[in-house]
Structures are given as structure tokens and as C-alpha cells.
Amino acid sequence: MANRAASPYERQLPVPQGRRTVTTKGPRQIQLGRTRRGPMGAKWQLLCAAFVASAVLYGAIVGGQIEKIFNATVTGAERAAVAMGFGVKRVVVEGQRNATDFAITTALGAGPETFMLAFDTDAAKDRLEAVPWIRHARVMRLLPSTLQVEIEERDPYAIWQNKRQTFVVDSEGVVLAPALPQAFPHLPLVVGEGAGKHAAALYQTLEPYTDLKSRMLAALRVGDRRWTLKLRTGTEVMLPDGNIEMALEALQKLERERGVFEQDIAAIDMRLLDRITLRLRETAAASAQDTTTPAGVPTSATGTINQPAIHQPNGRT
Amino acid sequence: MTEEQTHVAVLMGGLSSEREISLRSGTACAKALEGEGYKVTKIDVGRDVAERLAAIKPDVCFNALHGKYGEDGCIQGVLETMGLPYTHSGVLASALAMHKERAKAVLREAGVPVAESRVVSRAEAAKGHPIEPPYVIKPPAEGSSVGVYIIREDQAHPPQELTSADWALGEELMVERFIHGRELTCAVMGDEALDVIEIRPAEGLTFYDYESKYAPGGSIHVLPAPIKLNVYQLVQKLSVAAHRALGCRGVSRSDFRYDDRPDGTGELICLEVNTQPGMTSTSLVPELAAHKGRSFGELVRWIVEDASCNR
């Protein structure tokens, strides 16, 4: 990426405003909020905190609200600790490829005002694992002010198009993000209800059929029960509900012996177990305009075909 | 009478050797008819069919029977006698189409080309080739392809089964010249020819897994058939001509052979006309209707609405 700094450790990331894709595999550092805090600022905050604490303590003693004061004191102490340099200043991320900085920092929920020791790493792990791209996450504190995040991402498997929207999904059909097919040109395109979930099973079955795979434009899931393969030539291969391997074997044989992939065929229908139906395109069906009449056909038989019948239906119910 | 109240009795099963396929046709049609809003009663036809029909008093009988008694005019005669409107062809057309040799005489007269044939006794057929091979032996009045033997050029003798003691296909046999070439089929619906399908035996597509339902004798259907346009139209015209010549009603299906091999005879021959074509949702006629944009439900609805007596 053009705007990436030479060393990720030196880079200062602005808080992302939108989604971005990062492809690095190495550890990255996400800098949060202001990066420089002078020693004078810290002292001033400490003085203020001490003043507020003593004022609140006085008020509590007078008003008898000591419990509230205790809590406030803890908060005050945390603030003080943050002021002394125990706030989260850096987040180092390992394993990030497709998850965006925005998604990670939002899920992490830590900022410069977060006290390192009070930060709940288990809750942060759960929030991170709720990010679609992230399968597993691990969050560790590196004192005084760094959070180390290790993530294992889900692998994008296919582009799933459904109801006019496209997503990138993993091999289990988990929707990882909205994505256009162009963003992942190496991924297969699957279309229709349930297509994302069943894509991996289909492509595992298709694995040995490299010729067929290379000719495929998309796989369409029909009624969430069977597949139709759309080839680049426009031909559709309608597969049965079950016995896909056998149908593919028959298709390969049909291609080897008759070269069906290169013919002007609209559909190769393999849904029925005992037959294959080839539906030709109109152009292919009517291409031969030879007018030689077959032998042995008397001309008396070839009257018009659309005359009304002698018998009309009657007694209709 | 509103459509919702129309009570359709689907006649299926029956007493013929094609009972199983009829049960499949009937079940599929009954389901589709229910989907179309009809009140449907399925009747597995036995000798008591008249009593059962008299008891339920349907508005229409949907004939999903194949073979003997269902396709040969018998059930049609019962329904005519009872005054119950029914689907498909009537008594005469059914009986005529079922008897292959007599149907040929009518078709030939109407200008539909048919293969030369002779009716011979079983003894004569067994003694030596009644005609020059290749030829086909079939019982003259059985439906479907029951009991069809093909004798190739290189066969020195008629099939030995002809002399077998448990021969069950009758003493009269039709011996017909074998026609090479493409197998074509076309359906007629009312007065209109549907498209033409070519059926190719899938010899090159052997399925080795016998546990699956993939039949080793599976076929490849090519729709529309990749033949010359004028031949295509001729098949459609001949199908309508055959439908009319036999007096068929509703839907019928005609099977043809077209010998367009480079050294072939170039002939187009009508093999037979089926007055009770298969009616599962995946049969040829529904496949052809679907190609014309009619769903299976629309097809069965059309057939029911076409039902009548005096067919």
C-alpha cells in the first residue's frame, strides 16, 4: 500500500474513519489518541486529582457518603495512574490481514484514558472474536502502556452473491465483509440462498475437474438444494441434488467424447439420474437450412399443422 | 361449477405389465392436480373399477393408465358407458394405436411413412429369418417396449427365446424392418405439435455405480433435436397427421427414426403413436410442454379441462 510507512513500528496511525484493508502479516502498531504528553501536564493533572480527591473526601465526611467516595477515589487513582503513564498508548497487532484497524480498535475498546491494569483482556478477546474476520484472538498487557493483540483470521473462501448484495465468506459460509468480486478476483463466485454455506463442499468435489473449473463463471445454488454451474460460454450445467460426483464424471466423459463445452448449448441438464438433456440454443437448433426432404415421406402427409381439429372438446367440466 | 369443486379421479396402476410406470405417472399427476386446486381421488384400477367410480361419482376421470385395459380402449369403453368424462384418446383411437399393425395401415393411408412389416406366427418367426435382417420382432398389441427383440445384420438365427416354453407374448408376432438413425419424438397437445427431442443412447456414458439409480442404459436427450429445420417441421407435421389419422385426443406422442447417416437411406419413419404417454413430471411429454413454457401443473390442468365423453 502506497501510504504505508517503511517500518510499521514507527508508524503513527490516525484513528481510522472508515474500513480499510491491511495485508501485512507482521506485527503492527496502532497508536491511539495523542502520542506525546509532557511531564508538566502529568504533574498538573496529579495536583488537580489530589485537590479533587481531598474536596470530595471532605464532602463525603460531611454528607456521610463514604462508599461513593471510595469508588470515586478508585477512579481518581486510576486516572492518576493513567496520568503517570499507565494508560494504553500503543496497540501491537499480529496476524492482521483483512480485518480493518477500525474494527480491531473498536472491538478492543481501549484508549489513552484506559488504565492498563484495570483493562479486562478476556472481555476484549470476546469482543475481538465477535469481529467476523477474527477466528481467535489473544490480548496481553505489556506494561507500562502497550496492549499486544494476536489474532488468527478466517480465510476468505468465496464471494457470495445473494439478493443483489455480495459478501466475502469463509469456508464455513461465515460472512466476513461486504465485498465486490473484483476485490478478490481469485475467489470463486457463488450465488443464491445457502450458496455461501455449501460452497466449500461443492468446490472440494470440483477439485479434480480442473478443465470444468477453469471454464466456470459462477455456481448458482437453486432452492438451497442443488447447484447449477454457469460457464463462461453461457452454458448452464444443472447438477442433481445428490450424486454430484457421478454427474461430474458423466459430464467429463461427455466433454471428452462429444466436446459439449464448446457447442452452442444453452443447458446441460443432469438433474435426472437416468438421462442427460442437452438444451440447444435457438441458433444451434435452426442453423441447418437444408431443404432436402427425407426419403419415403409422401407429400400428402405434410399439410398445415395448425388447422382446427375435426373434433372439438365438449362435455367439459 | 367452480374449479375448486371439480372432483378428478386419477386412474392408475391397473392390470398391465406397465403397472409400475402407471403408478408413477398417476401419483405425479394427482399431486400436480391437487396443486392446481382440484379435489383428487387416486384409484388403483382393478376389475371393480366401475363400482368404485360409481361410488365416488367423480366429475372427470384422469387416465394415467398404460398398456392393456388402460391404453387399448377397454377403460375408455367403461367410462363411455358410465357417462364419465375422461382424458386422452377415446375407444377407437386407443384400440387402433395399440394394435401396431392396424395402426400402420391407417397411418400409411394418411401419408405417414411407416416401416414395412408382416405379422407371422411364433413358429414361423422361430424357424428362420422371416425377412432380411436387420429387423425387429414385437408383439403386435403390447404397449411400450415390452418384448421387443432387435435382430442385427450379423445374426444368423432368430432369437432362441421364441422357442422357449414359457413364452408369454402371444402366438402372433409382428416382424418389422429395422430402421437405423436418430431416434426422434414429438408430442401433440390438442391440435398443436410441441417440439422435437432427439434421444441418444448414452453408450459412451457408462455409470459404474450400480447402487445409484443411474441406469447403465441412460440416455441423452437433445432438445430441440439438432436436425435440419425442414426435417424438424416435417416431424411436427407428421405427428399431427398421425394424431388426426388415428383420431387421438388430448395429448399423444409419436416416435420416429430419421436415418441421416452419410451412407444412410435418408428416410424418416414413424415407429408408433402413444395415446397414453408417460406422465411423470420428468417424462417426455411434460419435458416438451415445459420447453413451450407450460409447467407440469398447467399441463395436467389443460388435460383435465380437455376431458369429455364421445372422444
Side-chain angles (χ1 to χ4, degrees), chain B residues 118-170:
Chain B
R118 279 176 60 199
V119 175
V120 297
S121 69
R122 176 156 73 106
E124 192 183 343
K127 205 160 54 185
H129 290 311
I131 60 174
E132 204 51 34
Y135 62 92
V136 182
I137 298 178
K138 42 188 165 185
E142 273 288 339
S144 193
S145 50
V146 174
V148 173
Y149 292 87
I150 297 173
I151 291 84
R152 306 269 173 198
E153 287 97 328
D154 53 0
Q155 265 175 255
H157 306 287
Q160 289 197 339
E161 290 90 330
L162 288 170
T163 56
S164 148
D166 53 357
W167 177 262
L169 295 165

Side-chain angles (χ1 to χ4, degrees), chain A residues 110-189:
Chain A
E113 307 304 321
T114 310
F115 178 40
M116 281 290 285
L117 295 176
F119 183 68
D120 187 346
T121 52
D122 289 341
K125 168 190 158 72
D126 292 344
R127 287 195 301 274
L128 281 165
E129 288 178 355
V131 173
W133 276 109
I134 300 173
R135 188 193 298 276
H136 297 300
R138 197 168 157 219
V139 183
M140 289 166 292
R141 300 186 198 89
L142 299 179
L143 293 173
S145 58
T146 302
L147 284 180
Q148 166 117 358
V149 179
E150 291 172 9
I151 58 174
E152 183 195 320
E153 287 196 356
R154 293 175 185 273
D155 292 317
Y157 189 85
I159 298 292
W160 176 39
Q161 184 185 318
N162 194 34
K163 293 174 183 161
R164 297 175 170 231
Q165 287 182 295
T166 52
F167 309 92
V168 57
V169 295
D170 78 346
S171 59
E172 292 160 20
V174 174
V175 174
L176 303 177
L180 291 172
Q182 302 89 288
F184 297 89
H186 60 290
L187 295 186
L189 176 63

Side-chain angles (χ1 to χ4, degrees), chain A residues 32-305:
Chain A
L32 302 162
R34 286 182 296 159
T35 54
R36 294 175 63 190
R37 198 187 292 276
M40 285 305 286
K43 275 182 187 170
W44 178 244
Q45 282 201 0
L46 189 62
L47 273 172
C48 286
F51 174 74
V52 169
S54 49
V56 167
L57 189 63
Y58 173 75
I61 291 163
V62 172
Q65 294 183 323
I66 199 69
E67 194 182 332
K68 285 184 182 173
I69 297 306
F70 176 75
N71 292 339
T73 310
V74 171
T75 311
E78 280 187 10
R79 287 202 178 167
V82 165
M84 285 186 294
F86 286 95
V88 177
K89 285 185 189 162
R90 280 178 297 279
V91 176
V92 176
V93 185
E94 271 187 54
Q96 179 189 13
R97 285 173 297 156
N98 289 298
T100 60
D101 291 350
F102 181 77
I104 293 172
T105 52
T106 307
L108 205 54
E113 307 304 321
T114 310
F115 178 40
M116 281 290 285
L117 295 176
F119 183 68
D120 187 346
T121 52
D122 289 341
K125 168 190 158 72
D126 292 344
R127 287 195 301 274
L128 281 165
E129 288 178 355
V131 173
W133 276 109
I134 300 173
R135 188 193 298 276
H136 297 300
R138 197 168 157 219
V139 183
M140 289 166 292
R141 300 186 198 89
L142 299 179
L143 293 173
S145 58
T146 302
L147 284 180
Q148 166 117 358
V149 179
E150 291 172 9
I151 58 174
E152 183 195 320
E153 287 196 356
R154 293 175 185 273
D155 292 317
Y157 189 85
I159 298 292
W160 176 39
Q161 184 185 318
N162 194 34
K163 293 174 183 161
R164 297 175 170 231
Q165 287 182 295
T166 52
F167 309 92
V168 57
V169 295
D170 78 346
S171 59
E172 292 160 20
V174 174
V175 174
L176 303 177
L180 291 172
Q182 302 89 288
F184 297 89
H186 60 290
L187 295 186
L189 176 63
V190 294
V191 182
E193 200 66 49
K197 202 173 163 191
H198 294 95
L202 173 70
Y203 278 88
Q204 274 161 22
T205 315
L206 284 170
E207 197 54 50
Y209 305 95
T210 46
D211 180 38
L212 174 64
K213 255 178 32 176
S214 70
R215 292 169 186 273
M216 271 175 64
L217 185 68
L220 323 178
R221 184 95 179 148
V222 182
D224 200 5
R225 58 187 173 80
R226 61 164 204 87
W227 290 98
T228 286
L229 311 181
K230 183 103 180 162
L231 307 188
R232 286 178 206 286
T233 51
T235 303
E236 288 189 348
V237 179
M238 299 152 94
L239 296 177
D241 291 13
N243 290 313
I244 295 184
E245 293 90 345
M246 218 165 294
L248 290 172
E249 200 59 42
L251 182 65
Q252 195 180 39
K253 203 160 188 173
L254 198 62
E255 163 59 12
R256 208 166 43 228
E257 291 171 4
R258 297 166 197 252
V260 285
F261 290 160
E262 293 301 326
Q263 289 174 23
D264 216 359
I265 292 173
I268 303 171
D269 187 346
M270 310 191 80
R271 289 175 298 171
L272 299 178
L273 299 171
D274 65 341
R275 80 181 72 145
I276 297 168
T277 301
L278 304 179
R279 292 205 174 80
L280 304 186
R281 292 208 181 93
E282 294 292 322
T283 47
S287 59
Q289 290 286 338
D290 190 341
T291 52
T292 318
T293 304
V297 181
T299 48
S300 59
T302 57
T304 54
I305 55 174

Side-chain angles (χ1 to χ4, degrees), chain B residues 162-214:
Chain B
L162 288 170
T163 56
S164 148
D166 53 357
W167 177 262
L169 295 165
E171 292 304 309
E172 235 186 15
L173 295 171
M174 190 173 85
V175 179
E176 183 183 79
R177 180 167 67 88
F178 178 80
I179 314 294
H180 290 277
R182 296 170 187 260
E183 191 178 337
L184 305 171
T185 196
C186 176
V188 175
M189 190 168 164
D191 225 7
E192 192 192 345
L194 301 180
D195 279 286
V196 182
I197 294 185
E198 181 186 353
I199 301 162
R200 299 179 188 170
E203 283 160 8
L205 295 165
T206 317
F207 301 96
Y208 293 104
D209 183 353
Y210 292 104
E211 287 189 355
S212 84
K213 286 183 190 165
Y214 268 108

